[in-house]
Amino acid sequence: MSNLLTGGDLRARDHHRIEDDAREEGPLHPVTLPNGVEMQVVTVGLELSRQLLTDQRLSKDSAALQREIKRQLAELGSTQTDLAGLFGPSMLNSDSPQHARLRALAVKAFNGKAVQQLAPRIEEISAELIARLPENEEIDLVAELAVPMPMHVIGEVLGLPAGDRAHVRTLIETMMSMEPEVSQPASDELGGYFHALLTSNGLDPRSLFGALSTAAGDDGDHLSHDELMAMAFLLVVAGHETSASLIANVVHDALDNDLWHEAAEDPDLVPRLVEETLRHNSPVRSATHRITTEPVEIGGTTVPENTLLLINLGAAGRCPRAHDKADEYRLDRETTGHVTFGHGPHFCLGSALARLETETVLRHLTSRFPRTSYSGDEQPAVTHNDIMASLKSLPVVLRR
């Protein structure tokens, strides 16, 4: 069962059972990724997950992570010398004080005030895309809306040329596939694209990429080219992947739990739907990679130094000690008890944007198409990797 914690041929909520069973069996589960790299998946309750997400002995340092992964690959006889750009020295893969420095350079674009300033444009993009959707015939809501909508938004925020965004999305999908023969070439191509974009003279200085490539922090600090490249990978991938998966999951959950019509009649339910999906059906399956800097006890088991770890977020969100009937999807509960966006210093910078995008899409869809229904013969298949759990497709029929 362990390797099903990082992949597998699963449908809809199959992974919930696997993660919840693993949590009850014990805190640590060895897994082997498709490239042969070994790590441990942590499945513990909500409180211990929060503690681990802030434990400084579980390092996010890019150099340490890359060193251990490359060591394992070398032992396996792999000739791979480069890792995906997501392992670069971004704020995601850094510890304090470097983490705080990098985060400070990007935080202004994603704080509450900045996101609210984006709200009118998010409304426009959602309305435009939804107006193009056909009625009374089956469509794939993932391909037609959940994926393109956040890509439009993050593309405008960052300064990605509109004509490049579809290709960038394809490269990201391939890079995240966990198929070594294609994921690394896709990462390399995406890195080449970012290098050309970030060193060009065509960046809009009002965009985040334009600002990051020229501006300094309050103390005159600049990003190095390697740091800028790592930031590009992080912001483009995280800036749309989580939102796309969350939009699809919320639509699926609302339909699957017979809550669609209720949300159409009462838009105030929409934020609660989003929050309960974040808790119960997290689009982020595990927090990104960590490595122990010394032996660490987790749930009574000692983990050696230099162990790669993934902290499973679904098992934490559905922790029965934190929520009554935690395995059920319900709107009559306090829905903030989850760690889908992380906890502590690495709390997701884009959480407010992801919530706003998803709530905006759901309000538009439910009000315009209150009689929408799922049209598949079975639960939709899920694309799993070590981090995300994303619906491959979501066949629906939109009805007024």
Side-chain angles (χ1 to χ4, degrees):
M1 181 181 74
S2 291
N3 279 353
L4 291 177
L5 289 168
T6 54
D9 184 15
L10 305 174
R11 292 189 170 274
R13 301 187 183 119
D14 283 352
H15 60 294
H16 293 191
R17 171 185 50 79
I18 292 164
E19 294 162 0
D20 294 346
D21 286 350
R23 183 190 59 237
E24 297 307 311
E25 287 178 11
L28 292 158
H29 308 273
V31 299
T32 303
L33 300 185
N35 63 359
V37 171
E38 296 180 349
M39 56 184 60
Q40 296 274 348
V41 175
V42 180
T43 55
V44 294
L46 181 61
E47 188 56 38
L48 182 52
S49 293
R50 286 175 172 155
Q51 294 174 23
L52 293 173
L53 289 168
T54 59
D55 193 326
Q56 295 182 9
R57 298 172 299 172
L58 276 55
S59 173
K60 297 284 293 169
D61 180 61
S62 171
L65 290 166
Q66 292 203 43
R67 186 165 54 247
E68 174 58 21
I69 293 171
K70 288 179 179 180
R71 183 195 67 77
Q72 290 196 35
L73 290 173
E75 285 191 353
L76 293 167
S78 171
T79 58
Q80 181 178 343
T81 57
D82 295 322
L83 300 180
L86 284 173
F87 285 99
S90 70
M91 56 188 167
L92 181 70
N93 298 320
S94 58
D95 299 323
S96 295
Q98 176 76 339
H99 169 262
R101 168 186 163 257
L102 295 172
R103 191 176 177 104
L105 291 169
V107 69
K108 291 179 182 179
F110 294 97
N111 63 25
K113 181 179 178 181
V115 169
Q116 285 307 311
Q117 289 174 344
L118 288 171
R121 183 60 183 137
I122 291 173
E123 290 279 351
E124 290 176 0
I125 292 171
S126 297
E128 290 169 5
L129 290 173
I130 290 172
R132 300 174 191 172
L133 300 177
E135 299 177 41
N136 302 315
E137 64 180 73
E138 183 178 303
I139 64 166
D140 176 8
L141 202 76
V142 170
E144 298 297 328
L145 182 62
V147 166
M149 186 272 179
M151 180 56 86
H152 273 285
V153 175
I154 200 65
E156 291 190 5
V157 170
L158 299 179
L160 286 179
D164 296 348
R165 293 170 194 167
H167 183 55
V168 168
R169 167 64 191 180
T170 298
L171 290 176
I172 291 171
E173 284 183 332
T174 306
M175 182 180 70
M176 299 285 282
S177 69
M178 293 185 70
E179 299 174 11
E181 65 276 10
V182 296
S183 60
Q184 189 60 47
S187 176
D188 293 342
E189 184 178 346
L190 192 58
Y193 170 80
F194 287 146
H195 173 77
L197 178 67
L198 296 169
T199 56
S200 71
N201 295 320
L203 280 173
D204 184 343
R206 296 169 299 179
S207 71
L208 183 56
F209 278 168
L212 288 173
S213 62
T214 58
D218 295 337
D219 59 356
D221 185 22
H222 286 270
L223 289 173
S224 69
H225 182 67
D226 285 349
E227 290 170 341
L228 188 57
M229 287 286 290
M231 187 79 80
F233 268 95
L234 170 60
L235 295 178
V236 173
V237 176
H240 93 280
E241 190 75 17
T242 301
S243 293
S245 298
L246 178 58
I247 290 169
N249 282 6
V250 172
V251 171
H252 175 266
D253 289 348
L255 293 172
D256 203 43
N257 290 280
D258 297 322
L259 294 167
W260 188 269
H261 187 67
E262 289 185 39
E265 291 190 335
D266 182 6
D268 289 341
L269 284 179
V270 167
R272 297 191 67 81
L273 277 165
V274 173
E275 216 59 33
E276 179 68 348
T277 292
L278 285 167
R279 180 199 71 82
H280 183 263
N281 192 20
S282 171
V284 184
R285 196 173 189 194
S286 291
T288 51
H289 308 73
R290 284 166 165 78
I291 185 167
T292 54
T293 60
E294 61 182 75
V296 178
E297 182 187 337
I298 299 178
T301 300
T302 299
V303 180
E305 182 180 354
N306 290 327
T307 299
L308 295 169
L309 294 176
L310 293 171
I311 300 172
N312 184 271
L313 303 179
R318 295 184 302 276
C319 171
R321 292 179 295 280
H323 300 286
D324 182 42
K325 299 182 179 178
D327 60 334
E328 296 181 7
Y329 188 97
R330 291 168 44 183
L331 300 187
D332 61 341
R333 69 167 84 245
E334 175 55 54
T335 55
T336 56
H338 62 77
V339 286
T340 293
F341 289 122
H343 184 66
H346 285 277
F347 185 82
C348 177
L349 194 64
S351 60
L353 180 59
R355 283 185 170 103
L356 180 59
E357 288 174 330
T358 306
E359 289 174 13
T360 302
V361 166
L362 198 62
R363 280 192 293 100
H364 277 279
L365 277 176
T366 53
S367 63
R368 185 180 177 92
F369 303 110
R371 296 175 54 245
T372 291
S373 62
Y374 178 69
S375 65
D377 293 332
E378 57 184 342
Q379 290 283 19
V382 175
T383 299
H384 287 288
N385 55 42
D386 49 348
I387 303 299
M388 300 297 297
S390 307
L391 294 178
K392 292 183 179 179
S393 64
L394 184 58
V396 301
V397 177
L398 301 175
R399 297 185 179 92
R400 292 185 186 270

